[in-house]
Structures are given as structure tokens and as C-alpha cells.
Amino acid sequence: MSKTLTRQIDGPAAAPHPPERAAAHIITFGCQMNEADSEKMAGILQSEGYRLAPVPEEADVILINTCSIRAKAEQKVFSLAGRLKRLKKRRPGLLLVMAGCLAQRWGEALLEKDAGLDVVIGTGRMAQLPSLLRAVRETGRPAVDVQEEWAGNHSASPLREGRLKAWINITFGCDNYCAYCVVPFVRGREWSRGPDGIVGEAKALAREGYREITLLGQNVNSYGAGLEPRTCFPDLLRALDADSGIARIRFTTSHPKDFSVGLIETIRDLPSVCEAVHLPLQAGGDEVLRLMNRRYTYDDYRRTYEKIRETVPGVAVTTDIIVGFPGETAREYDRTLRALEDLRFDGIFSFRYSPREGTKAWNMDDDVPEAEKARRLMEVQELQREITVEKNRELIGRRVEVLVEGVSRKDASRLTGRTRSNKIVHFAGPDALVGELHGVRISEAGFVSLRGDPVRPGSGRESGGGR
Ligand code: SAH
Ligand code: SF4
Ligand code: F3S
């Protein structure tokens, strides 16, 4: 799935660079990290005098923010780049920028692909975007910057897509080196942003009317490593809860090996921290987990999981699953199915293993045939579908708190929002409730969303829940 940043902006008066009333169009692939980066690059372009173009056909600069996580993610980027190259023929002067993880991974080699690229910019180099564009306009030659060293100000003012919910980066990079994963290679070494900058950003967002923030990192639980004075993720949550003025705090992603009891109690105790945990399991068999370099066994995971369920009332836990990893025999795969039945997640994201050059698993024998990977994926998804529906039905009759995000796309008389546990809810109500926290009693539950009726406004935790 790709996403287009569409929020319109009014650019300041014309500057010599870019050309007068120049417009940029940004297309985003990949994870929340990339969505946050696209908002930062939109902010950088805006401060350079660009406005955002709603469609590529109106743009002077098209930026593709790319993902490399699986081969399919890269193929999507290349097919889009091919289409945009044709557009370039019709729009002389149009500049094509490739940013993000694929740009970081392939660097200069991308220019040899004859994809019509003018700029290739790495994940840590966003601050260099204006000077790279300027260099291309001045020299007529492509410009590449994929240095690993972080460039300039990492907290450039983003041009945010939403007005209620915002991303805040807290850690960058990843040091975990899961055997299948390119992220450590395309996002560099892990480092944490200082807490003052994070709390300051959250406070400013609250003043602008934002109600919810999501703290982003590949492994938010290791937040604080290397910072002076010493701090940790629960400390950061406490500071944000006490000082930011933000109603709802979410975070993603968590690594099971670093998810402490202290953190679980912090989630329980802080009113603004939402009861939603994304805790990637990846596989249910210990041999596959070991080969994946996940550094926990299924039992370790299960203990953490049970502790979360027991301690935090109403919590929703979601996970990621990979099927067909090298060495995933029928028996090992069966342990993944058993794990899903045993743990009963609220939802999962599941993927077929995709070998990535440069990772440890690249040198392992990709021994599960594609057709079998596809079969396993389907089976996992069908099993989970039933569990998700059952979990959602447990909410029928319960009162939940919903942050009203807008009018339902399917039915204009209905509002749409999310519970604290991050489930989508539709209910009847006036537009005036958009931006508010409102009580809803759940009356129906399906796979992707819930329906309910408004009850008296108020905040507080969702009643009941658990398994
Ligand atoms: N840092 C996060 C997100 C990583 S990418 C985390 O640790 O969870 C999101 C998910 O993509 C991973 O959890 C994993 O399930 C999946 N993934 C990563 N590399 C993959 C690969 N090579 N093939 C298939 N799925 C992969
Ligand atoms: Fe990839 Fe593992 Fe790091 Fe997540 S924790 S980004 S899966 S290496
Ligand atoms: Fe993709 Fe990069 Fe995110 S590889 S999943 S966009 S960190």
C-alpha cells in the first residue's frame, strides 16, 4: 500500500530556488517510520517555498519514500518509478526523488537502473533535500547522498497529515539484527532522542489541538540506551503523561526481549498511555526463533504476554508473524498455529518470508517452496480472522472510550474513531464530536471494525476486556 500526502499548503512567496509556485508530490511506502519521514520532508520542502501537489501530474518534484522490507515492497517502488519516468517526458523539468530505505540500500546503483531519477537520498539525510535539489537544477546531473552519518536537524518541523494524531520519533535505527531483516542496514545504528525534545514536541502538539501521539522506534523498549543522564522508556512515558497535555499516548514497536514488568505496570498506571501493545512474535517454534536471532523462546514470549494480559485491563495485543522462514518444517510451522490459538491475539500482520541480500538469513537455504509459504500464510490468516472476530465480539455490551476522528467514509451519518485499544468504531453522532473523546456502547463487532451507540461523554479506561 502506498499513501499520498495530500494536505494542501500555502507556500511562501517565490524564492529563486525552487521555481515560482513549485509544487511537490510525495508518495509513501512502508511503515509508520516512513510516514513520519514523509511529513518531515514535506515540512522541509514547504520551508523552501514548495506547496504540495495533490496529484503527480501537477508536480515539479515527485518524491517516492520507499520501503525495502520484502522483495515485493521494492518491486512496487520500481514499477511506480517506471510510470513516473514516462510522466517526466510529458513534463520537462520534473524532478524525481527517491528517498527512504530502498534509496539507502541501493544508493548510487539506482542511477544505473535508468529509472529517470534525479535525486537519491538516504534515510538519515533528509535535511540535505533542498541542497540536493538545488544541485540538480544547477548542474543538470543527478545527485546522491546516502551517507550513514545523520545530517542536520532530525526534528525538522513536519507538515503533518493529521490534525488530531501525530507521530513522534523517539529512537532511530536498530541494533537487533534479526536474521531476516534489512532495517539495521537501511536505518543504521540505534540511538535515542533526548527526552526534553520529545516532551517539548508533545507539548507543542497538545497546544495545537492534537489529542494523540504515537511514539515511534524499531524497538521503543530500549529507549534511553546511551543517553546521559540515564533514562528509560517508562521514564519517558511518565514524563509525557505528567507534562505533555496529550490525551492518548501510543507506541510502536516493542521487542519481546526488552518488555519489562516495570513497563507493563507503567502502562497500567498512566492514564494517558493506551492499552494497546504491538508485540511481534514472528514464529511459535523455538528452533525458528533461534534461527531468526530473536533472542527469546516461545515460553519467554508467553510469560511476557500473560503478564501484559493479567496486569493491564482491557489491553489489546497484536503481533507480526512470518511464515516460511528457512528451517520452518511442518512441525515448527504447526507451533506457530498453536501459538495463535493459545495466545489469541487481537490482530496480526502476517507475511511470507522474503530473502533479503546482506542479511544473515540470505545465506540460509530458503527451503520452504513459495506455494507452501502461500498456503501457510492463508491458513494463518484464516485462523486469526476467526480469533479476531471472537475477540472483537467480547466487546459487545461494553462501554469504550472513542477518540472521534471523522465522519465514516461509507456512511456520512456515522462517526468513526478508535478505542484506546486501537479498534475502529463507527457510531451515529454529530460532526461536532470530531476531535472529542466520547463514550460508546458496542453493539456489533466484525473483523475490521465495531459498531456502537453513543453514551454519556467521559474518559477513563475501557471496562473489562482481557481474554
Ligand atoms: N522493528 C519492528 C518492525 C520491523 S518490520 C519490529 O521489530 O517488529 C515489520 C515486520 O515485517 C516484522 O516484524 C516482520 O514480521 C516482517 N518482516 C521483516 N523482514 C521480513 C522479511 N525479510 N520477510 C518477511 N517479513 C519480514
Ligand atoms: Fe528488524 Fe528485528 Fe530490528 Fe525489528 S527488531 S527492525 S525485525 S532487526
Ligand atoms: Fe520498510 Fe524501512 Fe519501514 S524497510 S518497514 S520503510 S523501516
Side-chain angles (χ1 to χ4, degrees), residues 30 87 104 193 195 214 233 327 364:
L87 177 63
Q104 184 69 48
R193 226 175 122 189
T214 301
F233 187 52
M364 299 176 188

Side-chain angles (χ1 to χ4, degrees), residues 62-84:
I62 299 178
L63 186 149
I64 319 176
N65 195 8
T66 62
C67 175
S68 246
I69 201 80
R70 285 165 289 273
K72 213 162 109 191
E74 290 197 342
Q75 285 152 13
K76 278 192 215 158
V77 170
F78 286 123
S79 75
L80 173 69
R83 291 200 298 278
L84 294 177

Side-chain angles (χ1 to χ4, degrees), residues 199-220:
V199 176
E201 189 173 343
K203 277 184 176 169
L205 287 166
R207 280 196 298 272
E208 286 173 44
Y210 283 84
R211 308 300 307 271
E212 180 177 307
I213 55 173
T214 301
L215 308 175
L216 290 182
Q218 299 298 343
N219 175 9
V220 289

